[in-house]
Amino acid sequence: MRGPRAFARTLCRGAPALWPRGREGARGGSVVAGAKNAQAQQLQQQTVLVCPGSPSSSSFSSSASSSSSSSPSSSAVLLALRKHFLPVSFHTAAWDMAPGLDVGSGTRDGGLLNSYEAEPDRVAVIGSGNWGSVAARLAATNARRLPYFQDEVRVWVYEEKLSNGELLSDVINKTQENVKYLPNVKLGPNVVADPNLETAVKNATMLVFVMPHQFIEGICQKLKGKIRPDAKAISLIKGMEMGDDGPRLISREISEQLGIDCSVLMGANIANEIAVEQFSEATVGYRDDKETADKWVQVFGTPYFQVTHVQDVEGVELCGTLKNIVAIAAGLVDGLGMGNNTKAAIMRIGLKEMILFSKLLFPSVQDATFFESCGIADLITTCLGGRNRKVADAFSKHGGKRSFDELEVELLNGQKLQGVLTAKEVFGLLKAKDWEESFPLFSTVHAIATRHLPPSAIVEYSERAPRKIVLFNLYNFGAATSFPVSRRSVSPSKEERSVPPTQMSPSQLMEDARQIKNSASI
């Protein structure tokens, strides 16, 4: 298969008559065919096409008044060039500004083709559930539209036999629709479902991981030695693994097992809403490689799905992980029939615990990350909707008599619940570090999920123990603890108030919380 450079050389040498009139001979002219308005004419001045190998590296130009006789042929050539050569730095909004415009464009170093020494990136999606199908649809839309991605997007499908006897992957390829996990939504003609993991990722340079987090270790084991060494990964998985050495984020697990860079994408992303193109946002978290982060924005970003990036992988990922525990608490409140005031209080308490937990584990986590889509926005939408809130609501309405596992099977149509497992893993760490009392909401959610406490305990502790409240040290960002109600107020000393919250380390925050707890009396 001939590459872009050979393709361009053929066009420039062998078919000069196809171009609109004008060959000025200066390196870096413009090519514009069919400009129909003033906007297009302005855009014409900003577009560049350089064809190495043609005599004196000629440039070609035309105005909006080019003769109609040459337009059809030049348009056909330019459409092909646009697909193969439009550089990454050329913002795709240009096509929205001038939809009738056919443009070949080049950038730095005087050469369009210099940015295309390599083949376009190939995207593969590992996982085909509800969110995985939506991610594939977004990637496929941009792969068809943008020249720096290969058209085909392969999706690894965990093969299932449907009720009619057909295989899920066959139905997806036949109908362009994931009839089980995302019915009535077309994924796109360039989405290919593949039940073979090895062939699904073959030659892929951009790997999208989107599956329940409890399966990631097994998947990575199967992928070892099967992926390109220069591949980049991104995790859309919300959860964490607990190892002997403590918590391990999914992005770190992928990076270490496969030896590749792994970013994350999190946000207020209820899949069914994005599937029907309702406006929403997401956040890409990256470590050091901003160029790759820019690529991930291009993979997923659309006018209705706005994606930004921040250099804070741990912060972005922990937001997406911990909010599921808070969503369980919100669902329990709904099932108890309580109102918006109670749910708002639960969400606020949950956000405080999310911030403190994240900073204790990773001091580099940025405060600003919690105000991105991956933070407060994702927390709000998950507590108002989503599978964790839904199942917790049902659990609470049944008085805790039916297990989360049972309700998951009944209500989620094969999807997996993340909040209960995450609560278990987080509580294991809290207990190991003697942090339970500093995280009353997280601890209580786990106790309810394991049936050690009734659903009502989310807002009221067991009557067998002294009634407790949650006290937030308002003078120190994120420090929280629980203790028996005191008959006297507890306030920090002048010396404590003199220390700005931003100057306190996570260990200081924890020590401050413990001191407040110990100073309280009944």
Side-chain angles (χ1 to χ4, degrees):
M1 178 178 178
R2 295 192 305 175
R5 184 176 295 277
F7 176 60
R9 188 176 292 114
T10 300
L11 286 175
C12 294
R13 285 178 174 171
L18 295 178
W19 296 100
R21 60 184 177 83
R23 297 179 65 172
E24 286 75 30
R27 184 175 179 83
S30 66
V31 179
V32 179
K36 297 181 181 178
N37 51 46
Q39 268 187 326
Q41 291 177 8
Q42 289 177 352
L43 188 60
Q44 175 183 357
Q45 306 304 317
Q46 303 171 18
T47 58
V48 180
L49 174 66
V50 178
C51 295
S54 59
S56 65
S57 295
S58 299
S59 62
F60 310 93
S61 68
S62 70
S63 68
S65 59
S66 296
S67 62
S68 59
S69 61
S70 64
S71 294
S73 296
S74 63
S75 293
V77 172
L78 286 168
L79 278 170
L81 282 173
R82 184 178 77 185
K83 175 62 183 173
H84 283 277
F85 297 130
L86 182 66
V88 173
S89 60
F90 188 92
H91 199 280
T92 56
W95 302 112
D96 298 327
M97 291 169 53
L101 190 64
D102 293 327
V103 182
S105 169
T107 54
R108 56 188 179 277
D109 300 326
L112 154 76
L113 298 174
N114 289 339
S115 64
Y116 267 85
E117 294 290 347
E119 290 290 322
D121 283 303
R122 176 183 287 276
V123 180
V125 180
I126 305 169
S128 60
N130 184 239
W131 185 213
S133 297
V134 173
R137 185 177 189 268
L138 291 168
T141 298
N142 288 326
R144 291 196 306 271
R145 186 172 61 91
L146 301 176
Y148 29 94
F149 300 117
Q150 295 188 31
D151 283 348
E152 183 182 272
V153 173
R154 300 192 79 84
V155 180
W156 175 69
V157 175
Y158 179 77
E159 194 67 281
E160 300 178 57
K161 184 172 287 188
L162 302 177
S163 57
N164 62 2
E166 292 186 275
L167 297 177
L168 179 59
S169 61
D170 290 340
V171 174
I172 293 174
N173 289 329
K174 182 170 61 177
T175 66
Q176 299 176 27
E177 180 181 328
N178 189 331
V179 295
K180 181 169 183 178
Y181 297 111
L182 193 66
N184 304 315
V185 175
K186 296 297 182 183
L187 302 181
N190 55 326
V191 171
V192 178
D194 191 341
N196 185 301
L197 181 61
E198 183 175 343
T199 58
V201 303
K202 186 177 180 179
N203 295 325
T205 55
M206 307 192 79
L207 302 172
V208 181
F209 288 83
V210 50
M211 68 193 72
H213 76 273
Q214 55 265 43
F215 302 127
I216 191 64
E217 183 177 0
I219 292 295
C220 286
Q221 288 292 333
K222 293 179 181 178
L223 288 176
K224 286 183 178 180
K226 303 296 192 303
I227 62 172
R228 290 174 52 140
D230 61 341
K232 306 293 184 181
I234 193 166
S235 170
L236 280 60
I237 301 168
K238 299 178 178 180
M240 64 170 61
E241 296 283 345
M242 292 301 298
D244 296 336
D245 56 345
R248 294 173 60 82
L249 297 181
I250 300 302
S251 62
R252 180 65 67 183
E253 187 83 10
I254 294 170
S255 292
E256 291 183 357
Q257 287 212 39
L258 300 180
I260 59 177
D261 177 75
C262 185
S263 304
V264 296
L265 182 141
M266 306 286 162
N269 305 147
I270 293 180
N272 289 336
E273 296 179 9
I274 301 170
V276 295
E277 302 186 1
Q278 295 180 13
F279 178 77
S280 59
E281 300 175 311
T283 310
V284 168
Y286 70 98
R287 286 193 171 83
D288 304 307
D289 191 347
K290 185 177 181 296
E291 184 177 349
T292 297
D294 288 332
K295 281 188 178 183
W296 287 122
V297 170
Q298 293 287 349
V299 168
F300 296 107
T302 69
Y304 63 87
F305 190 63
Q306 296 292 301
V307 184
T308 57
H309 55 57
V310 296
Q311 192 173 2
D312 186 6
V313 170
E314 290 82 7
V316 173
E317 190 165 1
L318 280 169
C319 281
T321 297
L322 298 174
K323 56 93 182 182
N324 284 329
I325 304 176
V326 187
I328 295 289
L332 295 171
V333 165
D334 286 342
L336 292 170
M338 297 188 175
N340 293 329
N341 291 342
T342 308
K343 181 181 275 192
I346 289 293
M347 291 165 65
R348 186 186 77 88
I349 294 167
L351 179 61
K352 285 282 189 177
E353 294 192 13
M354 287 170 58
I355 294 171
L356 179 58
F357 186 86
S358 299
K359 286 179 169 291
L360 286 170
L361 290 185
F362 300 98
S364 63
V365 168
Q366 303 167 23
D367 293 344
T369 299
F370 294 92
F371 298 95
E372 297 287 343
S373 177
C374 63
I376 185 65
D378 195 8
L379 178 64
I380 291 171
T381 196
T382 308
C383 289
L384 297 180
R387 69 188 74 163
N388 291 281
R389 190 221 63 83
K390 179 180 181 180
V391 177
D393 184 352
F395 179 88
S396 188
K397 285 177 177 174
H398 285 91
K401 295 178 181 178
R402 299 184 63 188
S403 70
F404 274 97
D405 289 340
E406 181 184 354
L407 292 167
E408 175 188 84
V409 173
E410 180 180 311
L411 298 175
L412 297 187
N413 190 35
Q415 293 179 306
K416 294 298 181 182
L417 196 64
Q418 298 297 307
V420 172
L421 182 55
T422 301
K424 176 183 176 182
E425 292 166 338
V426 167
F427 182 77
L429 180 65
L430 299 182
K431 188 171 182 62
K433 293 184 175 291
D434 194 25
W435 289 352
E436 299 107 301
E437 288 192 343
S438 295
F439 295 90
L441 185 70
F442 288 178
S443 299
T444 303
V445 167
H446 173 67
I448 294 172
T450 54
R451 300 186 182 181
H452 289 94
L453 289 175
S456 60
I458 198 63
V459 291
E460 181 177 328
Y461 281 77
S462 171
E463 294 179 358
R464 291 173 296 177
R467 183 172 175 82
K468 296 183 180 181
I469 62 170
V470 178
L471 174 70
F472 288 98
N473 178 8
L474 300 179
Y475 296 90
N476 296 308
F477 185 68
T481 187
S482 63
F483 53 86
V485 178
S486 174
R487 289 196 179 97
R488 62 183 175 84
S489 62
V490 179
S491 60
S493 65
K494 291 181 180 180
E495 291 76 14
E496 290 171 324
R497 285 197 296 266
S498 67
V499 181
T502 54
Q503 294 181 13
M504 300 191 74
S505 68
S507 59
Q508 287 175 311
L509 292 177
M510 285 297 297
E511 181 58 30
D512 181 76
R514 288 194 181 98
Q515 288 177 1
I516 293 176
K517 166 183 169 298
N518 294 333
S519 68
S521 62
I522 296 179

